[in-house]
Amino acid sequence: MYFSLIDKIVQLEPNKTIIATKSLTMAEEYLRDHFPLFPVMPGVLMLEAMTQASAWLIRVSQHFAQSTVLLKEAKNVKFGQFLQPGQTLTVTATILSQSENETVLKTEGTIDGQSRIRAQLTLSHYNLATANPNQAIFDVKLIEKLKSELSLLWLDNPQWE
């Protein structure tokens, strides 16, 4: 199951950096259980928001050449204070290095300029057809869907195709 933890892309400079936001509201399903009397966004979901922002940077930088971008490794993860409903997490990801199938990024999540989470992420990226040529149609459909989603997240985007 996929759910977006990015509400808006504020700035994106291909092959360099992205700034995106996630505003936390009480409507988030998981807040009922985490924690009932003190609702906070779980740290793993803050890490996922940084992963999703990083994936958008990779997709745009590579002109959507690959359909699949997944977290391979998270290093030096440092958690700070909680993110509570009514607060906005600002995620910044900067590319440190990249190859054809892997990108390493420095990421940080802040609230009002104060660091709440930091990590070095390694994301792998590929097409499904690489492992099975019969899945090439799924690559095409995934890329179309992702481009459509990007147009909703990055309203100030230049023509990226």
Side-chain angles (χ1 to χ4, degrees):
M1 171 188 247
Y2 172 81
F3 50 97
S4 180
L5 289 173
I6 297 298
D7 295 328
K8 181 179 180 181
I9 295 173
V10 177
Q11 178 183 338
L12 193 155
E13 193 173 342
N15 297 305
K16 292 186 182 175
T17 191
I18 186 172
I19 299 172
T21 59
K22 167 61 179 166
S23 296
L24 190 64
T25 70
M26 281 303 295
E28 308 282 339
E29 283 287 321
Y30 54 83
L31 290 178
R32 286 186 294 161
D33 298 322
H34 198 278
F35 300 99
L37 300 176
F38 182 67
V40 294
M41 184 177 198
V44 69
L45 293 183
M46 289 192 284
L47 186 65
E48 175 64 16
M50 294 192 318
T51 300
Q52 289 182 16
S54 298
W56 285 118
L57 174 58
I58 292 165
R59 290 180 187 113
V60 171
S61 296
Q62 296 182 348
H63 304 285
F64 288 87
Q66 297 170 312
S67 67
T68 306
V69 181
L70 300 173
L71 177 64
K72 179 179 179 182
E73 181 177 52
K75 284 185 175 179
N76 303 318
V77 180
K78 304 276 193 251
F79 294 97
Q81 295 178 341
F82 295 112
L83 176 65
Q84 298 175 321
Q87 295 180 316
T88 298
L89 182 70
T90 300
V91 175
T92 304
T94 304
I95 293 175
L96 298 176
S97 66
Q98 60 184 337
S99 64
E100 183 179 341
N101 296 312
E102 195 171 277
T103 302
V104 179
L105 306 103
K106 175 184 170 183
T107 62
E108 182 175 33
T110 63
I111 299 172
D112 298 327
Q114 294 187 339
S115 184
R116 299 296 172 103
I117 183 171
R118 291 187 313 252
Q120 179 177 303
L121 304 180
T122 302
L123 278 69
S124 61
H125 31 91
Y126 55 89
N127 282 312
L128 300 173
T130 303
N132 180 349
N134 293 331
Q135 299 209 0
I137 187 66
F138 296 113
D139 289 321
V140 171
K141 289 181 185 261
L142 276 169
I143 289 168
E144 286 174 10
K145 182 179 180 287
L146 290 164
K147 285 181 177 182
S148 177
E149 187 177 342
L150 179 65
S151 69
L152 297 173
L153 293 173
W154 191 19
L155 299 176
D156 299 328
N157 65 18
Q159 283 297 348
W160 39 264
E161 288 196 63

